Amino acid sequence: MNQNESLKIVIVGHVDHGKSTLIGRLFYDTGSIPEVRYNEIAATCKAQGRAFEFAYLMDALEEERDQNITIDTASTFFKTAQRPYVIIDAPGHKQFLKNMITGAASADAAILLVDGAEGVREQTRRHAYVLSLLGIRQVVVAINKLDMVNYDRNRFQKVENDIRAFLHSVNIVPSYVVPISARDGENIAKRQGKVPWYKGPTILEALDTFGNVRGDAGAPLRLPVQDVYTWDGKRIYAGRVETGQVNKGDEIIFLPSGKLTTVKTIEKWQETDLSLAGAGECVGITTEDELFVERGEVISRRKRKPVKARKIRASIFWLADRPFQAGKTYTIKLGTAEAQATATAIEERLDSSTLEVTERYAAELLPSEVGKVLFTLKNDIAADLYSDNIRLGRFVIEDGLLIGGGGIIQGLTDESGTSAQRICLNEHLIIGDEGSSVDLAGEGGGIEFDVSTEFLDYLGQGNRVLFRLRDLTQLEPVAHLAFEHDLVFRFSRAAEGINIILYKRGVLDEVVDDVDDGTYI
Amino acid sequence: MYDHLDELEAQSIYIFREAYRKFENLAMLYSIGKDSTTMIHLARKAFFGRIPFPLVHIDTTYKYPEMIAYRDRMAREWGAELIVGRNEEAVTSGMGPERGRLVCCEKLKSEGLTRIIEQKQFNGLFLGIRRDEEGSRAKERVFSPRDKNFEWAYKDQPPELWDQFNTSFEPGTHIRIHPILHWTELNIWEYIQREKIEICGLYFAQNGKRFRSLGCMPCTTPIDSGATTLTEIIEELKTLKDPERAGRAQDQENAYAMQKLRAKGYM
Ligand SMILES: Nc1nc2c(ncn2[C@@H]2O[C@H](COP(=O)(O)OP(=O)(O)OP(=O)(O)O)[C@@H](O)[C@H]2O)c(=O)[nH]1
Ligand SMILES: [Mg+2]
């Protein structure tokens, strides 16, 4: 059974623009609606005295059909020759944004639907922004109800331009903008020939162009401890590998406690001698040393580990009816960890539809608003920047008993108040045939160096070391290192990214003084 | 290779472990069907062979004898604690589908369940429902709160995202936990085959008929089928046009029958 992994697609957009109808039509045109189900919908519509509503496939609740509106998100399943899909319908009404986010948060890709007659509206923009906050970058735009404007090409292009411009402002480039009519079934699964000027894919074809997004084996290991079982005389750390891979015999560190040990076994029921587990797998881990580690600690390697955070700066979206308040303490849940977090400041308050900053240092956020918030935590938590690791770079905020909002981490600071991670140069130095290097590209947050005499001796022997930087923010500590220890600092353009070569003056200067040919041997 | 079934399995294990950690007093509703039997297999994967909570079966007295025999044999084999709940009052009063199918479901199943939850003070209950079964189930959360009257506030469900679940609740209320919500009927069968899970014999064809969904005798109709092996069932499933629960009479009573039953605490 070699099925591909499934892909989850969410359909978003303004209320009444035809999201549920699109799904119903897609199923109908591919023969995926069971006959009894079709008859049931037809009977309901007849009783209501209206034409057949494809939306009723998803809008199954009585209240939804009475008001012709989607209240809650629903999932349905669909398969093409390429792969299985989960299709997630999201409600468009502003009042149900929490349900829209519940649906969209698990999606790998999205179809953003815009009514071609009405054009871009408030929730079109809000949903587009939510997609970008949630990190959904694979987006197809569908311009719907073109039957109402006689499939007019100019009208289509006007709406296309509007939506492209807005998507650009939230860093989304749609892979296609498809002219459709969900009611008539134009460009859903078939072409009816109403838009001869359009040469691109149908919605169905566009789905299969989405790429798989999970399982980057090269990402650093993150295995949050979900529970600790002491069964059969063993102490098993249960958890899911969120990113990367864990191997038997790996030297690992638990954070925030900082405890070090080695992986003794990887355990699953009825499987013996497992040597590794990759992203997405739920496993148990036993360790060489008897540690007493609790739920919430994160297993990683000593290199490229998460930050032990005390302060978090995040973009949060608020969904609860009660406002989110500056100065109040909330429980945040990140991975399997929980922490009491005081909202020290709401630095910016944003209208999530216009993206306008409505206030700085605000007292509260209302439902559906987005804010840039600084949290101060009562206890350490292992976290990553969202840009480094999506899984450990996001959290939810509890308001009373229930989840009230979510956050995307943009800044992290540890207990000492510096946002720096200490990088031991000796440990990070890789000496290879192609030269020596220190790879900083995988380090999230700020960095500081621990400089050992061995490292300086190594340079003193005339060796050059290439530093691979993640971004320009790492220039400063590297430059500082060069200044402090009187090293030559130069850029190398041999490879992608920002690379710096450091070496001791005098040893090889003559040879490479003028031209930087990119070598660093 | 890590495939679609592995992905579904891992998600279920994650949900089980999350619930086990967060709830003091858990139970799993065991309906004897293929879904709850698969759910038990997944629980054993999550807990390294154990089932660390009791199984609850709501006995309506209308189940097929084969189902009851299978239930008791499997519970022994798994080493599970089995609690059989029954709405004695309704049973004694002669409740049956002739008094109305929906009334019967509500009395014997929903109320039978309510009683056992109250009696045993369960605050978390695993249920093997799936989103592809029916419209109101398609809208369920993985952790779904029920109020003091066991009612489901389907018009105002809390957000649930990034595998962070709502696990806090007021006293007297409970949370329904749905570990296989994201599976389809076909996924279940493919997984049963892959994992060699033993299921109740009524699913396999005898004399040209088999059950696609198992329930109470008066309200469950078998389908015409010659499928006597898992491979044949899976092949047959790919050609069937009717929905899975077409043979369950209570679903067909009226347009929103399931929604209404479920709002009041039905599975
Ligand atoms: N003329 C025309 N009407 C359409 C089309 N697509 C949808 N509609 C109608 O627009 C109305 C709203 O459609 P829905 O699919 O319910 O809209 P929605 O986006 O799902 O709405 P919410 O989920 O409530 O946000 C229905 O009455 C549909 O019949 C279309 O292509 N052409
Ligand atoms: Mg809708």
Side-chain angles (χ1 to χ4, degrees):
Chain A
M1 194 168 343
N2 249 336
Q3 283 187 29
N4 287 320
E5 281 182 50
S6 68
L7 201 73
K8 302 193 182 94
I9 314 276
V10 68
I11 322 290
V12 300
H14 195 77
V15 64
D16 251 6
H17 280 196
K19 298 176 292 296
S20 307
T21 307
L22 168 68
I23 300 174
R25 188 77 212 201
L26 181 67
F27 274 63
Y28 180 73
D29 286 355
T30 51
S32 320
I33 305 183
E35 197 179 314
V36 256
R37 197 73 203 276
Y38 183 89
N39 293 340
E40 178 261 318
I41 295 171
T44 309
C45 293
K46 199 170 164 218
Q48 286 184 327
R50 57 165 65 199
F52 188 86
E53 278 288 0
F54 288 103
Y56 286 6
L57 184 68
M58 303 309 292
D59 294 342
L61 301 178
E62 186 172 17
E63 291 80 355
E64 293 181 317
R65 290 179 177 186
D66 283 350
Q67 296 158 44
N68 206 7
I69 192 171
T70 303
I71 294 174
D72 213 329
T73 178
S75 300
T76 181
F77 305 85
F78 187 76
K79 216 169 168 172
T80 66
Q82 173 123 343
R83 57 160 94 91
Y85 288 97
V86 180
I87 310 276
I88 305 164
D89 188 24
H93 196 284
K94 184 177 176 184
Q95 191 189 333
F96 306 130
L97 186 69
K98 65 180 165 71
N99 299 338
M100 178 271 172
I101 288 183
T102 296
S106 67
D108 305 309
I111 296 177
L112 174 64
L113 203 86
V114 192
D115 182 326
E118 261 193 32
V120 173
R121 297 287 302 274
E122 182 183 336
Q123 310 314 317
T124 318
R125 291 189 297 265
R126 177 166 286 122
H127 286 190
Y129 180 47
V130 165
L131 293 181
S132 89
L133 270 182
L134 295 175
I136 300 171
R137 290 279 175 275
Q138 300 197 75
V139 177
V140 164
V141 172
I143 306 211
N144 189 31
K145 302 199 190 181
L146 288 184
D147 57 289
M148 291 174 72
V149 295
N150 294 318
Y151 296 96
D152 180 54
R153 185 178 189 175
N154 291 332
R155 178 64 200 162
F156 169 78
Q157 274 171 352
K158 159 87 176 76
V159 179
E160 172 175 7
N161 291 344
D162 290 351
I163 190 62
R164 275 191 190 274
F166 187 81
L167 286 174
H168 180 76
S169 70
V170 296
N171 294 319
I172 292 175
V173 180
S175 43
Y176 302 100
V177 179
V178 188
I180 65 165
S181 164
R183 199 195 62 184
D184 292 356
E186 175 65 56
N187 279 337
I188 309 298
K190 300 173 186 154
R191 290 177 180 80
Q192 315 271 13
K194 305 255 174 56
V195 282
W197 40 267
Y198 174 74
K199 302 285 177 249
T202 61
I203 292 293
L204 185 61
E205 290 163 352
L207 289 184
D208 280 345
T209 66
F210 285 132
N212 282 340
V213 290
R214 268 153 287 169
D216 175 6
L221 171 66
R222 298 288 182 267
L223 201 176
V225 175
Q226 193 179 7
D227 210 341
V228 187
Y229 304 135
T230 43
W231 287 333
D232 306 326
K234 283 189 272 192
R235 199 174 162 82
I236 303 172
Y237 297 104
R240 177 170 63 194
V241 181
E242 296 294 347
T243 56
Q245 180 178 303
V246 62
N247 306 288
K248 192 173 169 171
D250 274 352
E251 286 186 21
I252 51 166
I253 180 166
F254 286 85
L255 281 174
S257 69
K259 290 181 176 151
L260 298 168
T261 185
T262 306
V263 176
K264 188 173 172 188
T265 58
I266 297 174
E267 315 237 341
K268 282 187 183 178
W269 183 50
Q270 290 186 324
E271 290 183 51
T272 45
D273 268 343
L274 288 175
S275 58
L276 61 90
E281 290 187 63
C282 283
V283 293
I285 298 282
T286 65
T287 56
E288 290 293 350
D289 309 277
E290 274 277 301
L291 306 174
F292 294 92
V293 175
E294 277 301 309
R295 174 183 162 104
E297 296 265 334
V298 176
I299 298 173
S300 73
R301 294 220 179 70
R302 285 159 71 182
K303 286 182 192 172
R304 305 173 79 187
K305 52 184 187 284
V307 178
K308 200 169 131 181
R310 259 306 164 91
K311 282 195 172 143
I312 292 180
R313 180 170 279 113
S315 275
I316 73 160
F317 45 85
W318 192 243
L319 303 170
D321 295 334
R322 257 189 308 192
F324 176 85
Q325 290 172 320
K328 201 173 152 183
T329 299
Y330 293 90
T331 302
I332 66 169
K333 292 176 158 184
L334 190 158
T336 59
E338 285 178 26
Q340 292 300 303
T342 305
T344 315
I346 302 174
E347 296 173 340
E348 279 178 8
R349 174 178 174 194
L350 227 85
D351 179 320
S352 57
S353 175
T354 60
L355 309 185
E356 192 189 332
V357 177
T358 49
E359 204 182 343
R360 288 187 200 279
Y361 293 93
E364 57 184 33
L365 295 175
L366 298 179
S368 92
E369 287 184 333
V370 168
K372 191 166 272 186
V373 176
L374 183 67
F375 287 99
T376 306
L377 277 49
K378 294 229 160 65
N379 51 290
D380 289 331
I381 204 166
D384 283 299
L385 294 177
Y386 189 72
S387 55
D388 290 338
N389 191 302
I390 291 177
R391 294 297 190 136
L392 283 190
R394 63 192 186 189
F395 57 89
V396 298
I397 307 157
E398 272 187 348
D399 178 51
L401 296 174
L402 300 174
I403 293 169
I408 306 291
I409 300 177
Q410 280 144 355
L412 287 168
T413 313
D414 69 11
E415 195 185 8
S416 64
T418 61
S419 56
Q421 283 222 77
R422 298 206 70 82
I423 304 282
C424 176
L425 283 170
N426 243 14
E427 273 181 19
H428 272 71
L429 182 65
I430 298 167
I431 303 177
D433 295 341
E434 314 239 295
S436 311
S437 62
V438 171
D439 192 352
L440 302 174
E443 302 297 337
I447 48 172
E448 263 172 32
F449 295 116
D450 279 340
V451 189
S452 61
T453 41
E454 284 109 310
F455 183 76
L456 292 174
D457 286 350
Y458 182 74
L459 290 171
Q461 288 153 18
N463 293 303
R464 302 174 152 239
V465 177
L466 178 85
F467 283 70
R468 286 196 190 85
L469 271 50
R470 187 192 56 192
D471 55 36
L472 286 172
T473 59
Q474 292 179 332
L475 265 184
E476 193 188 310
V478 177
H480 197 248
L481 175 73
F483 176 76
E484 287 272 286
H485 299 281
D486 195 22
L487 305 171
V488 179
F489 173 104
R490 55 194 308 155
F491 286 96
S492 162
R493 295 180 204 284
E496 286 281 290
I498 306 157
N499 302 308
I500 309 286
I501 300 163
L502 297 187
Y503 59 95
K504 201 90 187 136
R505 186 170 294 281
V507 192
L508 281 167
D509 270 3
E510 326 70 77
V511 199
V512 284
D513 219 12
D514 29 39
V515 211
D516 183 5
D517 58 358
T519 54
Y520 50 93
I521 296 162
Chain B
M1 200 194 100
Y2 188 76
D3 71 13
H4 188 44
L5 291 179
D6 295 322
E7 198 183 340
L8 297 171
E9 176 192 80
Q11 181 66 12
S12 299
I13 293 175
Y14 193 83
I15 294 165
F16 267 118
R17 289 179 175 169
E18 210 54 15
Y20 183 59
R21 174 67 190 221
K22 291 285 182 176
F23 291 86
E24 295 281 294
N25 211 353
L26 281 167
M28 182 192 283
L29 204 60
Y30 183 54
S31 77
I32 313 176
K34 63 183 191 317
D35 299 320
S36 46
T37 305
T38 299
M39 187 163 67
I40 287 176
H41 185 79
L42 289 162
R44 295 169 85 201
K45 285 222 171 186
F47 306 114
F48 301 96
R50 288 170 177 72
I51 307 175
F53 30 73
L55 307 181
V56 171
H57 176 68
I58 305 299
D59 186 14
T60 60
T61 69
Y62 287 106
K63 300 290 174 197
Y64 292 88
E66 291 95 323
M67 288 171 71
I68 303 298
Y70 166 85
R71 177 196 74 188
D72 294 340
R73 184 167 60 80
M74 294 313 285
R76 270 197 307 278
E77 223 166 87
W78 295 321
E81 180 191 348
L82 178 70
I83 300 173
V84 178
R86 196 190 276 198
N87 184 353
E88 291 294 354
E89 218 177 281
V91 170
T92 328
S93 82
M95 177 51 68
E98 47 310 322
R99 297 199 190 161
R101 291 188 203 279
L102 299 182
V103 179
C104 182
C105 271
E106 205 175 314
K107 284 284 164 204
L108 294 183
K109 287 200 200 163
S110 310
E111 241 184 80
L113 179 60
T114 312
R115 282 170 189 233
I116 199 91
I117 292 176
E118 272 172 356
Q119 189 195 331
K120 301 273 179 183
Q121 305 262 303
F122 293 126
N123 55 18
L125 193 67
F126 294 108
L127 268 83
I129 61 163
R130 305 190 327 267
R131 287 207 171 108
D132 76 330
E133 281 183 283
E134 164 276 325
S136 75
R137 289 185 175 99
K139 300 202 176 256
E140 271 285 6
R141 300 286 190 262
V142 178
F143 282 59
S144 181
R146 292 295 187 279
D147 71 8
K148 288 196 175 63
N149 305 316
F150 294 80
E151 284 181 16
W152 176 37
Y154 57 87
K155 282 182 281 183
D156 189 23
Q157 300 194 74
E160 182 175 82
L161 58 153
W162 301 331
D163 286 345
Q164 299 289 357
F165 305 112
N166 289 291
T167 51
S168 315
F169 51 89
E170 280 172 43
T173 66
H174 73 279
I175 303 239
R176 301 257 166 113
I177 304 145
H178 304 130
I180 57 166
L181 195 59
H182 53 295
W183 294 60
T184 66
E185 185 188 15
L186 186 60
N187 296 152
I188 293 282
W189 284 109
E190 287 175 340
Y191 190 72
I192 287 171
Q193 185 176 44
R194 181 179 100 170
E195 301 286 312
K196 304 185 176 65
I197 300 171
E198 185 182 342
I199 50 165
C200 182
L202 293 172
Y203 284 109
F204 300 98
Q206 273 170 11
N207 309 319
K209 292 208 179 287
R210 69 173 198 89
F211 288 88
R212 189 171 168 198
S213 177
L214 282 181
C216 296
M217 285 185 285
C219 297
T220 311
T221 327
I223 57 168
D224 293 331
S225 166
T228 55
T229 63
L230 288 170
T231 312
E232 284 168 5
I233 289 176
I234 290 167
E235 278 319 303
E236 182 187 82
L237 214 58
K238 290 176 179 165
T239 65
L240 290 179
K241 288 276 171 265
D242 275 345
E244 178 183 4
R245 294 179 63 93
R248 304 290 290 276
Q250 67 269 35
D251 290 42
Q252 272 66 53
E253 278 291 289
N254 61 53
Y256 306 105
M258 233 343 111
Q259 171 187 340
K260 288 182 175 147
L261 272 177
R262 299 197 62 252
K264 290 196 202 145
Y266 189 81
M267 309 71 187

